[in-house]
Amino acid sequence: MLVSIFNDVIGPVMRGPSSSHCAAALRIGQLARDLMGHDIARVDICYDNGGSLPMTHASQGSDMGLFGGLMGWSATDPRLPSSMAIIQSDANVEVTITYADLADEHPNTYRLKLTNAHGSHSLMAISTGGGMIEVIDINGYALSLFGDMHTTLVEGPPAAIQSILSTDLQPAPISWTKHTKTGDGNVLLVLCAAAPIQPEALRACCAETQLVINHLAPVLPIETTATSVIPFSTAQGLVDTIGTDGSLLAAALLYETQRSGLPDAVIQEKMVAIVRTLKESIASGLAGTEYADRVLGYQSGGFQTALAECRLLDAGALNTGVAYITALMEVKSSMGVIVAMPTAGACAALPGIVIAVAEARGLSECDIADAFLAAGLIGVFITTAWSFAAEVGGCQAEGGSAAAMAAAALVTLAGGTTGQALAAASMALQSMLGLICDPIANRVEAPCLGKNVMAAANAISCANMSIAGFDQVIPFDEVIETAKRVSAQMPRELRCTALGGLSISPTSKAIELRLASASANGGCGTGGCGSCGCG
């Protein structure tokens, strides 16, 4: 798969506490809905006891995302917190969720069996971080789909499949693969194209043959086309291609233009729209948010007031950044609209500090958008080699990545070079190696807020250090590889499973019980009650 800044790094625009849970599950649900022709009577969901989801699917939003996707909703739909209740009551879909010892390789593995009056289909997919997904099995056929193209699935006898491949189909497939499974004489043909391939055209290739045909629409904002390429995929590749003296923005535009096929102006316009969404979210958070099922209340307004009254220690733009970061985290935890940058759990560090510094310097929305694009390219290098998922790499994968991206963005805001931006990103990620993910009360709020603030402080410090000529020592690509190696050495309990760290402290467990009790008695939240759609 070709990584895109808008698919994999800056985005999705979404609701919910976790992109790995809410946004990814929603996309999995959308694809499963297409597989069933939008007709679902029953869905059976199974999670591996050894993965992250048995402990987190309710409290971190997998349920609300998955059921919203099965109903065809968008990631910003205001009904999402109630999706489980709505799918059962209004859509009349029977739902079961079970756990089993499955030995799944990936901790975020979703196994679905979907049924209607005409039959059933199975789908197995993984959430790979930041809302990104990979479908790895459909109906027992092992495959690999990312939701970035129109995908037509054709199941039938080998001769019929060969007839289809011998036909000049329109639109011409960008790619195709054939898949078999043990004990079945049929073949599954997977055709990926820029537009749907009509079933009539496929059936005409092999008259009187029974074919099972399904179409899966893309779920990502940037689709892969026949002309999609990337100029480089590593920091060293970037340096080898265009050097270190120019702006990282120019490299980001080169990358995304070739990946998406969109002109520079359209790419920058798309990022300006994201800047405006973020500014609205910050304003909403500062004005005050409410949500029963959360650990932290409204705190950003009090920080803003203390800052205005000069009661805080002077930290320059960082103080404004702390207010903005807190506001964004509060919006996220109240199911408001946020932008995963690169994830929902680490959604606030990068935009909070970049917007604060830009305002202090009198810079425009376009300047902020340019900085975000530069940050996006740093994220491309990280996710290409590794992952943003805390279930894979702990909070070094989320907060560490956000810090590296923000450091490069701040260098870009200051007019620094590509070399300086890469050095700042390297120093920032070095400083957060080994950071664990241990959400208190199984909610993505604390210590997540503090880690977002820490990432921002780290970023602005590393940006200034790089601009002043500090030595990064270790090249950025090597730091990414080190983070990946460290993640493999981290115990499962410290990777967003709520089984270690602060998650199992007595206070954390007490808060979790209190929230669960409130939810069961009529409160509202992702963990809970029939009225808010949580079963």
Side-chain angles (χ1 to χ4, degrees), residues 22-23 115-116 227 246 278 287 391 418 471 488 529:
C22 309
T115 307
N116 61 24
T227 59
L278 286 162
E391 296 86 354
T418 293
D471 185 356
C529 63

Side-chain angles (χ1 to χ4, degrees), residues 318 321 325 348-350 353 403 406 410 451-461:
L318 179 58
I325 289 165
L350 166 58
I353 194 61
L410 292 169
K451 290 176 180 176
N452 273 258
V453 170
M454 178 177 67
N458 181 17
I460 196 169
S461 299

Side-chain angles (χ1 to χ4, degrees), residues 11 16 21 54 69 103 133 194 458 516:
H21 290 75
I133 63 167
N458 181 17

Side-chain angles (χ1 to χ4, degrees), residues 14-20 22 59-61 64 81 281-282 284-285 289-291 293-296 324-341 343-349 398 439 442-449 452 526:
M14 58 169 285
R15 293 182 191 269
S18 166
S19 49
S20 289
C22 309
S59 61
Q60 295 190 23
M64 70 177 237
S281 296
I282 289 170
S284 173
T289 55
E290 292 183 1
Y291 200 72
D293 187 64
R294 66 179 187 181
V295 177
L296 299 173
Y324 290 177
I325 289 165
T326 308
L328 286 168
M329 293 294 283
E330 289 170 358
V331 169
K332 175 190 67 65
S333 297
S334 61
M335 302 301 155
V337 174
I338 54 95
V339 182
M341 299 180 70
T343 68
C347 69
E398 296 200 31
N442 212 354
R443 270 74 175 169
V444 189
E445 297 181 67
C448 316
L449 171 60
N452 273 258
T526 59

